Amino acid sequence: MARKQGSHADITGPKVRDAALRLFARHGFAAVSMRQIAAEVGVQAGALYLYTPDKQALLFELMRDHMEELLADWQAPDAPPTDQLEDFVRHHIRFHLDRPELVFIAYMELRNLTPENFAVIEGLRRDYEDRLEAILRAGQQSGVFAVPDTKLATMALIAMLTGVTTWYREGGRLNRAAVEGIYWDMVRKAVAA
Amino acid sequence: MARKQGSHADITGPKVRDAALRLFARHGFAAVSMRQIAAEVGVQAGALYLYTPDKQALLFELMRDHMEELLADWQAPDAPPTDQLEDFVRHHIRFHLDRPELVFIAYMELRNLTPENFAVIEGLRRDYEDRLEAILRAGQQSGVFAVPDTKLATMALIAMLTGVTTWYREGGRLNRAAVEGIYWDMVRKAVAA
DNA sequence: AGATTATCTGAACATACGTTCAATTCAACT
DNA sequence: AGTTGAATTGAACGTATGTTCAGATAATCT
């Protein structure tokens, strides 16, 4: 018994990725075994190595692709700082609510990356933070924002916004548009001059 | 070779706790073995079981004691909502900056708790959130705050404030007092009417 | 000094881990 | 119908895991 009916690399490949995503998010990278991932996919553990060099690469590629998509998906519009900030906030919330599992992994599994992989992910994260900081600095200089320390404000706002994934549940008391609006209102006031 | 010179239960006990705290924070609960903890303490793995029933209890007790200390350490002063909020914010930042490792564990290792233990910790966390929400609701009702959804605002503010531990480093550009002040300023403006 | 007891070792238990690979199976191509 | 090659199995590798426990040791008590 070996190759199963109707099974192909372009089906199993994504399945491996999805299973790893789901299991890493639920139980944590270190607590998930290759055999669990394989069982979720419906193959034996050995077959996973046709799709990933090792377990570490599975984690790293999930995180790297996530960060690269985050960066590719948004760039500051040509607009005043306040409008740029609103665009950033709303996009950040939407993007993160769409991918709660990836967000969870990207924030929780940093310490399970090898040093080289960690450096890559941290670089991408830094790039993202820099975009928000650039908006805050522009607003500070033009006088529409009052942010004594743009770096601190950047970290504070990102932590606040990303936190939405820890409590928001689809079909709950508030819908996405409402959540977006309320968060934007708080951010707007927090940085206002 | 067995009992070492100058070794006692009241010395080894806390050492086990400290080693577990440090290692769990650095590498994650699932990635740390009892033998690693034992090596850090300077004993063999078997000796750990004189101080904890099992690995899970080691994690749970760290988290429970942390949350109980957080709750015991602060109660709302008899003052207007704005002053209560300032007191909460400053205390939260101080408390969390004093215990970065415990904070990290308490936020990252929830999913490594057994269901029963998880329920306990979540209950304690809820108690803490309720305190902030009570302040926000009081301010909303008296008209000094404009918080359309107190629960959302609670989650947003706690996420923002707790995030300070992810970037603050002792001896860095900003001292604690400055950080406290800037965070309080952002919170004050964010909820202001 | 001798007995007691708290403390710790070191080996063992069964089980699980990530990874490799020869052997096998089935879909596609000739 | 026969051949090829991609996809997968299943067993094996060495190592590590959490936990238990009989035995050894050294501080304390009598």
Side-chain angles (χ1 to χ4, degrees):
Chain A
M1 334 156 191
R3 187 175 190 180
K4 300 254 204 82
Q5 273 199 359
S7 57
H8 303 291
D10 37 351
I11 292 180
T12 308
K15 270 175 133 185
V16 169
R17 210 190 126 96
D18 286 1
L21 168 62
R22 200 164 39 249
L23 289 172
F24 288 168
R26 181 131 54 217
H27 307 292
F29 173 76
V32 172
S33 72
M34 294 300 269
R35 283 171 179 83
Q36 282 176 62
I37 297 172
E40 189 93 348
V41 173
V43 298
Q44 294 298 315
L48 298 180
Y49 291 84
L50 293 166
Y51 305 99
T52 183
D54 50 34
K55 196 187 173 193
Q56 168 74 203
L58 221 40
L59 175 63
F60 173 64
E61 279 161 28
L62 282 173
M63 293 176 71
R64 188 201 51 200
D65 292 357
H66 170 65
M67 290 307 297
E68 283 177 349
E69 200 188 349
L70 174 63
L71 286 166
D73 216 44
W74 186 84
Q75 29 194 345
D78 185 17
T82 304
D83 295 338
Q84 284 191 17
L85 184 58
E86 177 169 5
D87 204 53
F88 178 92
V89 167
R90 292 187 182 277
H91 178 270
H92 185 96
I93 291 176
R94 269 179 229 152
F95 189 91
H96 282 66
L97 284 185
D98 279 341
R99 305 160 177 78
E101 290 170 326
L102 276 169
V103 170
F104 204 64
I105 290 173
Y107 274 77
M108 305 272 277
E109 303 296 354
L110 287 167
R111 59 190 170 176
N112 285 308
L113 293 171
T114 62
E116 307 80 41
N117 288 343
F118 176 79
V120 173
I121 301 298
E122 191 163 67
L124 293 168
R125 181 180 305 276
R126 175 65 64 101
D127 289 347
Y128 187 66
E129 292 165 4
D130 285 348
R131 293 192 185 177
L132 173 55
E133 195 181 355
I135 297 173
L136 295 179
R137 206 161 23 221
Q140 170 77 14
Q141 276 165 11
S142 75
V144 295
F145 297 161
V147 213
D149 190 282
T150 53
K151 188 67 192 162
L152 186 156
T154 297
M155 301 310 282
L157 295 182
I158 287 185
M160 177 172 129
L161 295 175
T162 305
V164 71
T165 56
T166 64
W167 61 266
Y168 181 83
R169 291 298 168 262
E170 218 63 51
R173 187 164 42 85
L174 300 164
N175 62 29
R176 286 165 176 243
V179 170
E180 243 181 61
I182 297 174
Y183 269 100
W184 162 236
D185 211 52
M186 293 184 74
V187 169
R188 182 180 53 74
K189 286 158 69 183
V191 304
Chain B
M1 335 151 189
R3 188 174 189 179
K4 303 255 203 77
Q5 272 198 0
S7 59
H8 304 290
D10 37 350
I11 292 180
T12 308
K15 268 175 135 184
V16 170
R17 213 189 123 96
D18 286 1
L21 168 63
R22 198 165 39 249
L23 289 171
F24 289 167
R26 181 130 56 216
H27 307 293
F29 174 77
V32 172
S33 72
M34 293 300 269
R35 284 173 179 80
Q36 283 175 61
I37 297 172
E40 189 93 350
V41 173
V43 298
Q44 293 299 314
L48 298 181
Y49 291 84
L50 293 167
Y51 304 100
T52 183
D54 49 35
K55 195 187 174 194
Q56 166 74 204
L58 221 40
L59 174 63
F60 172 64
E61 279 161 27
L62 282 172
M63 294 176 71
R64 188 202 50 199
D65 292 357
H66 170 65
M67 291 307 298
E68 283 177 349
E69 199 188 352
L70 174 62
L71 286 166
D73 217 44
W74 185 85
Q75 28 193 347
D78 185 16
T82 304
D83 294 338
Q84 284 191 17
L85 184 58
E86 177 169 4
D87 205 52
F88 179 92
V89 167
R90 292 187 182 277
H91 178 270
H92 185 97
I93 292 176
R94 269 179 229 152
F95 190 91
H96 283 67
L97 284 185
D98 279 341
R99 302 159 178 78
E101 290 170 327
L102 277 169
V103 170
F104 204 63
I105 291 174
Y107 274 75
M108 304 271 279
E109 303 296 354
L110 286 167
R111 55 189 172 178
N112 285 307
L113 292 171
T114 62
E116 308 81 42
N117 288 344
F118 176 79
V120 173
I121 302 298
E122 190 163 65
L124 293 168
R125 181 180 304 279
R126 175 65 65 99
D127 290 347
Y128 186 67
E129 291 166 5
D130 285 349
R131 293 192 184 176
L132 174 55
E133 196 181 354
I135 298 173
L136 295 179
R137 206 159 25 219
Q140 171 75 14
Q141 276 167 10
S142 75
V144 295
F145 297 160
V147 226
D149 190 282
T150 53
K151 187 67 191 162
L152 186 155
T154 297
M155 301 309 284
L157 294 182
I158 287 185
M160 177 172 126
L161 295 175
T162 305
V164 71
T165 56
T166 65
W167 63 266
Y168 181 83
R169 292 296 169 265
E170 219 63 50
R173 188 166 39 85
L174 300 165
N175 62 29
R176 285 166 178 244
V179 170
E180 243 181 62
I182 297 174
Y183 269 101
W184 163 235
D185 212 51
M186 294 185 74
V187 170
R188 183 179 53 75
K189 287 158 67 183
V191 302

